[in-house]
Amino acid sequence: MSSIEEQGLLVRKLKGDPEYGPSHPDTKAAIAKLLELKAAAAPVKEPKQSKPQLEKNAVAAGKKDGGGVGGGKDEPLLIGITAEKSLSTFSDWYSQVLVKSDMLEYYDVSGCYILKPWSYTIWERVQRWFDDEIKKLGVENASFPLFVSSRVLQKEKDHIEGFAPEVAWVTKAGKNDLEEPIAIRPTSETVMYPYYAKWIQSHRDLPVRLNQWNSVVRWEFKTPQPFLRTREFLWQEGHTAFLTKQEAEEEVLQILDLYYRVYTDLLAVPMIKGIKTDKERFAGGLYTSTIEGFIPTTGRGIQSATSHCLGQNFSRMFGISVENPAWSEIQRSGKSSGETDGSGDEKLFVWQNSWGLSTRCIGVMVMVHGDNKGLQLPPRVAHTQVVIVPCGITAKTTPEGKSKIMDGCHRILRLLKAANIRVKLDDRDTHTTGYKFADWELKGVPLRIEFGPKDADKSQVLVCTRHDGNKSTLPLADDTLAKDVTGVLNAVHDAMYAKAKAEYDDHVKQISEWEKFVPLLDEKNVLLVPFCKEEKCEDAIKDKSARQAVDGDDTPVDERAPSMGAKSLCIPLEQPESEQQVAQRDCIGGCGMKAKCWTLFGRSY
């Protein structure tokens, strides 16, 4: 019996057991494991014969050892994607792209994945850029333990309630029970802040600006999705402390801008900057700033990075305070405290921020840019920016002719490497040129250089861009080739961003009438609407939009999404009109209150 069949039997047994049933956490976990096993098996399934175009994309053009590279004579090898990038098959498409492009491997623990070099390099590029930028702000890197005691974790009640369902606990060491269960960090506020209280004794110790690159564990029972919803993931988390609120708020927006640039300048993915509503803000924080992306195929928003102002909540809880450097002057002047932020008190609690960016950014990039052929990698983060493919070498090619082509390819390789362009020469003699083209298109290499006999004679190279398939020639000259290729790569980035930005902009609909809300939502849009900012109204909007979507006819459904109802994504920093103007509008939720701001709502991951 296969592992899928065994897991299926377990799921049916738990569902039928009166002590468990469909809603029990153990049943949900078993279902998630079953879906995981099915997703892992999906990439190796034979394609449906009713999709000739997808089969054409999937079949390599070449043959190996005189026969089809699939094994038997003239048998095609399906190296490409056999599921369309569409709403109904999006999950299958996403899984196939990640596995067949060699980005990741499924692991035997549900919700955990192996990041292979093709994807980990992207994270390294993001990491190096962001690390350099935060160091310019004075942030330093540190490393704190993976474990946190139950006593410390429970200290900040509001904070831990937000993470409680996802916390993984260590209860045994060998065969012995631990005296106190130890949690594996879901985030590090409660790990770090007891030591901030120890280290910060004076205002002269401020600011403290630490960051760590690590992994965290959040044991989600929802269906895992690689990069988007995983039980262990890589991220960075910054934790800073300041004397004043003004300093803290300034950093919140500085970090948010860096996150925005990670997506726009590196990943070629558009974002909207905003502030989360109180309902969606970080548990225990004062407010949360965010960048929100959009997946056009599913019409859903996706939270892509967050920068939180924690206020003084955690510093009060963990006793992180200093003497007020202005206290002597306050006493001499006889002024009373009176300040709501405590700035007139003898003892000041510090103002804190936390901010994080994770490998979710890789998943967002894949979903936005990928197509039916596979990945489309933005040049600035691609493992390989350029691949050189020798062309025109056949059985009739003379040794001299082959040598001329290969010498030219090696010359191109040397010139590009000298300019720090990440380039690879595909000199495999076991595959045909057509196979190589399909293989590198699947892997999403931004630029392919073809070099054959005619190119050698004309001292030129033929370049093909992955994102649009356009071909052009460049002179093969020692002093210009690397510069010309760099120019093409920058143009590729700009074109990829422009296309994604146009799609996002086209799917942001600004409306004021509820009658348009669900129909536009069902057309895979996110909606900018006047909103009162009340949590009860926010819940009502989500409930009404979910119910109407269920009751409506022919409503597109993405079963992998957590909810069909619309939730608030953010309050955009760039508002379409002034506070005075929006205050004249009624709230979209029909609660009878006036709006306070324009808010972005949508279905989301």
Side-chain angles (χ1 to χ4, degrees):
M1 183 180 294
S2 70
S3 58
I4 292 178
E5 291 173 328
E6 290 178 354
Q7 192 68 18
L9 288 174
L10 175 61
V11 169
R12 287 191 289 274
K13 180 179 178 181
L14 291 173
K15 283 183 175 180
D17 192 326
E19 295 185 7
Y20 290 87
S23 60
H24 193 277
D26 289 352
T27 307
K28 292 181 179 180
I31 293 171
K33 177 65 176 178
L34 177 61
L35 294 172
E36 190 79 11
L37 291 170
K38 288 181 177 180
V44 298
K45 291 181 179 179
E46 291 295 322
K48 296 180 180 180
Q49 298 302 311
S50 60
K51 297 179 180 179
Q53 183 57 47
L54 285 175
E55 288 185 7
K56 183 178 179 181
N57 290 341
V59 175
K63 299 178 182 179
K64 181 180 177 182
D65 297 330
V69 286
K73 187 176 181 180
D74 296 328
E75 179 185 346
L77 172 65
L78 296 174
I79 67 167
I81 308 304
T82 61
E84 291 182 335
K85 187 184 181 184
S86 63
L87 182 62
S88 60
T89 57
F90 189 68
S91 177
D92 188 19
W93 171 86
Y94 181 64
S95 176
Q96 287 195 38
V97 167
L98 295 179
V99 173
K100 291 189 174 185
S101 67
D102 213 30
M103 292 194 86
L104 64 74
E105 183 68 62
Y106 283 82
Y107 194 57
D108 65 351
V109 176
S110 176
C112 299
Y113 307 90
I114 300 167
L115 272 62
K116 302 179 77 172
W118 207 252
S119 62
Y120 193 78
T121 296
I122 298 170
W123 182 239
E124 286 183 316
R125 296 285 163 192
V126 169
Q127 183 179 19
R128 289 171 189 170
W129 183 90
F130 186 77
D131 201 63
D132 286 344
E133 292 298 320
I134 60 174
K135 284 177 179 174
K136 293 176 186 177
L137 299 177
V139 177
E140 299 178 294
N141 286 325
S143 179
F144 285 75
L146 174 70
F147 303 110
V148 55
S149 69
S150 174
R151 172 181 49 82
V152 173
L153 192 64
Q154 297 292 339
K155 195 167 185 178
E156 213 302 303
K157 183 179 178 182
D158 291 340
H159 175 67
I160 191 55
E161 280 183 355
F163 287 104
E166 304 170 358
V167 175
W169 295 90
V170 179
T171 59
K172 284 181 175 290
K175 296 182 179 180
N176 300 319
D177 292 334
L178 298 181
E179 290 184 7
E180 179 185 12
I182 303 295
I184 301 175
R185 63 182 172 213
T187 180
S188 296
E189 281 79 4
T190 53
V191 177
M192 299 170 73
Y193 295 169
Y195 297 91
Y196 278 35
K198 179 180 179 181
W199 299 337
I200 300 172
Q201 297 297 317
S202 163
H203 70 275
R204 297 179 181 85
D205 297 324
L206 296 170
V208 172
R209 308 180 81 171
L210 298 182
N211 175 71
Q212 60 175 348
W213 297 92
N214 58 10
S215 66
V216 291
V217 173
R218 297 179 184 176
W219 209 259
E220 304 228 23
F221 281 103
K222 297 174 182 176
T223 304
Q225 278 186 288
F227 295 118
L228 302 187
R229 189 176 295 279
T230 63
R231 286 176 173 165
E232 181 187 13
F233 56 88
L234 297 171
W235 75 343
Q236 60 72 217
E237 50 177 325
H239 296 269
T240 55
F242 300 90
L243 183 64
T244 67
K245 181 180 182 182
Q246 180 181 348
E247 293 174 287
E249 292 191 319
E250 181 181 353
E251 187 203 60
V252 167
L253 295 181
Q254 286 176 327
I255 296 299
L256 189 71
D257 186 60
L258 291 181
Y259 288 153
Y260 183 85
R261 290 171 59 195
V262 164
Y263 278 90
T264 59
D265 296 0
L266 299 184
L267 303 174
V269 174
M271 289 284 147
I272 290 178
K273 297 179 188 177
I275 303 295
K276 289 289 188 181
T277 62
D278 286 346
K279 176 179 172 61
E280 296 293 330
R281 66 179 165 84
F282 183 65
L286 182 62
Y287 63 86
T288 291
S289 68
T290 180
I291 52 173
E292 298 290 324
F294 177 72
I295 310 302
T297 308
T298 60
R300 299 186 184 276
I302 185 163
Q303 178 180 294
S304 301
T306 48
S307 179
H308 313 288
C309 181
L310 302 180
Q312 296 173 306
N313 186 27
F314 284 89
S315 62
R316 292 179 185 278
M317 186 62 60
F318 288 93
I320 312 173
S321 63
V322 298
E323 289 189 7
N324 190 338
W327 180 244
S328 297
E329 178 62 29
I330 292 173
Q331 286 184 308
R332 282 195 299 270
S333 66
K335 294 179 180 178
S336 61
S337 173
E339 300 292 339
T340 58
D341 62 358
S343 60
D345 295 343
E346 180 178 5
K347 184 170 68 173
L348 300 180
F349 289 98
V350 302
W351 289 83
Q352 292 180 266
N353 297 333
S354 69
W355 26 272
L357 170 76
S358 77
T359 44
R360 168 177 278 209
C361 67
I362 300 175
V364 174
M365 177 204 72
V366 172
M367 288 183 163
V368 169
H369 294 310
D371 61 16
N372 286 337
K373 291 183 179 180
L375 287 176
Q376 286 190 35
L377 293 179
R380 294 171 188 170
V381 294
H383 176 283
T384 301
Q385 295 171 302
V386 179
V387 62
I388 305 165
V389 181
C391 300
I393 299 175
T394 68
K396 296 181 180 180
T397 304
T398 64
E400 293 78 12
K402 180 178 179 180
S403 178
K404 185 177 181 181
I405 294 172
M406 295 309 300
D407 288 347
C409 288
H410 283 285
R411 178 187 173 194
I412 298 166
L413 183 68
R414 287 194 301 271
L415 291 172
L416 299 187
K417 277 190 171 182
N420 294 320
I421 294 171
R422 298 184 294 280
V423 57
K424 178 179 176 60
L425 170 59
D426 189 348
D427 56 1
R428 294 176 291 177
D429 57 9
T430 53
H431 297 87
T432 66
T433 302
Y435 181 100
K436 294 175 184 179
F437 287 179
D439 189 24
W440 294 114
E441 285 179 350
L442 169 61
K443 289 177 175 291
V445 174
L447 188 65
R448 182 176 75 238
I449 291 181
E450 303 171 17
F451 190 77
K454 292 182 179 179
D455 301 304
D457 292 340
K458 296 179 181 180
S459 193
Q460 66 178 26
V461 299
L462 182 67
V463 297
C464 179
T465 46
R466 168 65 178 90
H467 73 288
D468 59 9
N470 287 340
K471 292 188 176 185
S472 59
T473 59
L474 298 174
L476 177 50
D478 290 358
D479 57 343
T480 62
L481 181 64
K483 182 180 178 181
D484 289 343
V485 168
T486 299
V488 173
L489 291 173
N490 287 333
V492 168
H493 173 93
D494 293 344
M496 292 178 69
Y497 178 78
K499 179 177 182 291
K501 180 73 163 58
E503 281 190 299
Y504 198 168
D505 291 346
D506 190 51
H507 285 276
V508 177
K509 304 298 183 182
Q510 184 177 336
I511 59 170
S512 301
E513 305 84 14
W514 177 257
E515 292 74 19
K516 297 179 180 179
F517 193 97
V518 174
L520 284 172
L521 201 64
D522 290 344
E523 292 173 7
K524 300 193 294 187
N525 297 305
V526 290
L527 310 176
L528 189 60
V529 299
F531 179 54
C532 65
K533 297 175 69 172
E534 295 296 323
E535 187 170 330
K536 288 183 179 180
C537 187
E538 191 168 342
D539 289 336
I541 290 172
K542 184 175 182 179
D543 180 61
K544 285 197 298 182
S545 59
R547 187 174 62 251
Q548 288 187 26
V550 170
D551 294 340
D553 294 331
D554 301 321
T555 302
V557 176
D558 179 1
E559 295 179 353
R560 298 295 295 269
S563 170
M564 285 186 6
K567 59 183 284 189
S568 68
L569 303 177
C570 71
I571 301 168
L573 294 183
E574 292 187 8
Q575 291 280 300
E577 58 185 12
S578 68
E579 290 184 13
Q580 292 78 11
Q581 289 173 316
V582 75
Q584 303 301 313
R585 297 181 180 273
D586 294 329
C587 173
I588 191 76
C591 60
M593 299 182 67
K594 290 296 182 180
K596 295 180 179 178
C597 61
W598 287 88
T599 303
L600 197 65
F601 275 78
R603 296 175 179 139
S604 71
Y605 286 92

